[in-house]
Amino acid sequence: MIPFIVTTLFAFLLYLVLTAGAGDLVWWSYSEIAAGIVLSLITAALSRTFFCRNRDYRMANPVRLILLLFYIVCPFFIEMAKANLEVAYRVITGRIRPGIVRISPGLKTDFGVALLANSITLTPGTLTVSVDDDTGDFYVHMINIRKGLETKKITESEDVFTLFQFPAWIRRIAE
Amino acid sequence: MSLSGTLIPVFIGIGLVFNALGVIGILRFPDVYTRLHAETKTTTFGTIFLGLAVVIYSLTRLFDTGDGEYLTFIIHTVIAIAALAITNATGAHAIARAAHMSGQKPAPCVVDRLSEAEND
Amino acid sequence: MMPGIWQAAILVIAALILAAMIRLFAGPTAPDRVVALDTVNTLTIASMILLGVIYRQLIFVDVAIVYALLSFVGTLYIAKYIGGEL
């Protein structure tokens, strides 16, 4: 029952955001809201089994959501700008030294793993290739491996992330 | 007005330059993983800046005319950009994993821990 | 406000899509083509948002949202097919 309610609320919120500015009841009209309620009930009935599959509701906590927003705006966006300048440099000069390394961030929740995988993909010189489901280890393709780094069996996350320590941030947000 | 008049061309310029770098990257890099690097990061970033230009333009129109339609425009643009950023990163992850599973090795490569782990 | 800046941006994006098509046809392997297809999709979404500004039609941006999500599903299925999981 709780997954159904959470999914309904999420779908209804998304509907309200998408239809803002359509009517005169603050920003919405009565018919719009009625249609939204019906549609979000149908959506929740169809998809309640996969939206919160683990019955893990810690991401509904507003503190975590605000932290997530702050994470996206500040450290993530700075790293992304840095990533693009680095890739631009590699595209122009063609100086690459690629390889796949293994890091062990030790995240447990599904949302944390997904967030870290996406963050790795959009940040400097790294791209998640695969995740080991049992141990939670990431296999990361790096476009430019520094000399000496390729000999280690498991690379430290300090060597992959230079400016901000993403695993620590994500542990605070998602776990 | 003058501030937005300078910001919009600058943001469009940044967006187009990074999109162009992404396309040059996929034409120039040697194997599929390095091409994915170029594609995912630069086209996502470039499109975010094109979206920011649209948001700034809509904001100035909103203040000039007071038309609520432009507010809807801003919200929808932000949602489109957010959807693009999430799906691009996840899609790149899926392509990289599929390429590795189909047996394609990184062509110039100093270390490949994933193949070693699979062979164990 | 400079007239025609949005139109010029769309022309540049169209040229970039044509350039990405070279990789789409040249290959050499299937994952390379998927990468090129993903690039074309992203650039199409960018041009749809810009077209929405030019014609002052919100529907272009709505189509861009749906296109982003559907092209993601398409990419996922092609990736699953290439990886031999389908």
Side-chain angles (χ1 to χ4, degrees):
Chain A
M1 196 59 206
I2 300 174
F4 182 76
I5 295 169
V6 173
T7 316
T8 311
L9 282 179
F10 186 79
F12 187 58
L13 264 178
L14 202 62
Y15 186 89
L16 285 186
V17 170
L18 272 170
T19 55
D24 43 5
L25 184 75
V26 193
W27 280 346
W28 300 276
S29 59
Y30 285 109
S31 52
E32 198 82 75
I33 289 177
I37 291 171
V38 171
L39 284 175
S40 48
L41 281 174
I42 295 171
T43 313
L46 289 175
S47 63
R48 68 183 183 285
T49 48
F50 16 84
F51 186 63
C52 19
R53 209 170 41 182
N54 293 347
R55 307 199 164 232
D56 183 2
Y57 307 109
R58 58 182 102 198
M59 282 319 292
N61 187 343
V63 179
R64 288 176 192 272
L65 288 180
I66 291 169
L67 256 179
L68 176 65
L69 201 67
F70 177 75
Y71 166 75
I72 290 173
V73 170
C74 181
F76 180 66
F77 199 77
I78 292 172
E79 283 279 332
M80 202 169 156
K82 201 170 137 240
N84 281 278
L85 293 178
E86 173 156 349
V87 170
Y89 170 76
R90 307 265 169 231
V91 168
I92 292 166
T93 60
R95 228 175 269 161
I96 52 174
R97 197 164 176 273
I100 296 179
V101 298
R102 177 176 179 176
I103 65 169
S104 178
L107 294 172
K108 288 176 200 71
T109 56
D110 281 355
F111 184 78
V113 169
L115 191 62
L116 183 62
N118 277 5
S119 304
I120 284 174
T121 299
L122 291 175
T123 49
T126 50
L127 175 80
T128 320
V129 176
S130 188
V131 179
D132 193 329
D133 283 331
D134 301 327
T135 56
D137 286 355
F138 283 59
Y139 293 96
V140 178
H141 183 273
M142 293 182 77
I143 200 166
N144 190 50
I145 295 185
R146 269 179 283 122
K147 288 228 165 33
L149 209 62
E150 68 264 27
T151 52
K152 288 184 192 166
K153 193 80 184 163
I154 294 181
T155 311
E156 301 296 321
S157 60
E158 282 81 27
D159 294 328
V160 178
F161 308 103
T162 47
L163 217 56
F164 296 96
Q165 288 302 314
F166 279 164
W169 277 85
I170 287 168
R171 198 165 298 133
R172 207 169 303 152
I173 293 170
E175 290 188 358
Chain B
M1 191 61 203
S2 64
L3 179 66
S4 71
T6 51
L7 269 184
I8 291 170
V10 166
F11 277 13
I12 289 181
I14 293 174
L16 290 180
V17 164
F18 275 107
N19 275 337
L21 280 173
V23 172
I24 295 169
I26 69 166
L27 292 176
R28 194 182 138 104
F29 275 160
D31 74 328
V32 65
Y33 302 99
T34 43
R35 277 175 201 148
L36 266 175
H37 273 285
E39 189 263 329
T40 317
K41 292 178 183 93
T42 51
T43 55
T44 308
F45 196 67
T47 310
I48 284 176
F49 266 92
L50 289 178
L52 272 180
V54 173
V55 166
I56 289 173
Y57 172 76
S58 307
L59 266 180
T60 52
R61 298 292 297 170
L62 181 68
F63 283 127
D64 286 352
T65 61
D67 193 348
E69 194 194 345
Y70 286 104
L71 184 68
T72 325
F73 209 96
I74 293 170
I75 295 171
H76 284 223
T77 308
V78 169
I79 290 176
I81 297 297
L84 186 75
I86 296 168
T87 58
N88 244 350
T90 319
H93 183 181
I95 297 170
R97 186 163 165 272
H100 209 281
M101 284 173 79
S102 75
Q104 207 172 46
K105 299 279 175 280
C109 170
V110 291
V111 60
D112 189 351
R113 293 277 177 230
L114 183 54
S115 300
E116 291 168 17
E118 279 166 355
N119 291 335
D120 281 345
Chain C
M1 198 58 218
M2 270 180 279
I5 183 167
W6 304 104
Q7 283 88 341
I10 286 189
L11 274 180
V12 174
I13 288 180
L16 289 179
I17 289 178
L18 284 179
M21 288 279 195
I22 297 173
R23 179 56 71 195
L24 187 61
F25 284 115
T29 61
D32 287 315
R33 292 174 210 263
V34 186
V35 173
L37 184 69
D38 218 31
T39 316
V40 172
N41 283 334
T42 312
L43 293 175
T44 309
I45 292 160
S47 62
M48 273 180 189
I49 294 174
L50 295 182
L51 279 174
V53 172
I54 292 174
Y55 292 112
R56 296 187 204 294
Q57 290 285 326
L58 192 62
I59 193 76
F60 279 91
V61 186
D62 290 337
V63 172
I65 298 172
V66 177
Y67 188 89
L69 298 176
L70 284 184
S71 72
F72 171 58
V73 175
T75 307
L76 277 190
Y77 268 91
I78 299 173
K80 267 201 175 302
Y81 173 68
I82 290 172
E85 288 175 287
L86 209 63

